Amino acid sequence: AVKVTPAHSHADLALARAHGLPPLSVIGDDGTMCPPGGGWLQGVHRFVAREKVVAALAERGLYRGSQDHAMTLPMCRYRCPLPAAP
């Protein structure tokens, strides 16, 4: 799987346009998941949602690991605090 976020980079926008992908917003202004991000994640904070997706993939034997990568965002529109640890 490859995550393409058209609004985050010019490369992703070009890829989305080349493949006719519609621009979708799956994270609300409050940092929680919203449709069309998946009903099972609706209202879940984006960092918690990431953990839930990884767990769901691992449960099905589909998780192959992750890699750290440098990410630079000049500005982030999500100004909400991180969720409390469960």
Side-chain angles (χ1 to χ4, degrees):
V2 176
K3 179 186 77 63
V4 176
T5 310
H8 282 197
S9 76
H10 294 292
D12 278 8
L13 178 59
L15 181 66
R17 286 181 175 164
H19 292 278
L21 300 176
L24 302 173
S25 180
V26 297
I27 303 176
D29 289 337
D30 63 352
T32 62
M33 303 303 292
C34 59
W40 66 289
L41 294 172
Q42 188 169 346
V44 176
H45 192 276
R46 68 188 190 279
F47 294 127
V48 175
R50 180 182 298 153
E51 295 169 4
K52 289 181 175 283
V53 169
V54 168
L57 289 170
E59 182 179 299
R60 292 166 178 78
L62 300 173
Y63 184 66
R64 309 255 174 150
S66 65
Q67 296 177 341
D68 288 336
H69 66 280
M71 184 168 104
T72 303
L73 294 175
M75 181 185 301
C76 182
R77 72 179 182 149
Y78 308 111
R79 301 196 189 284
C80 55
L82 294 176

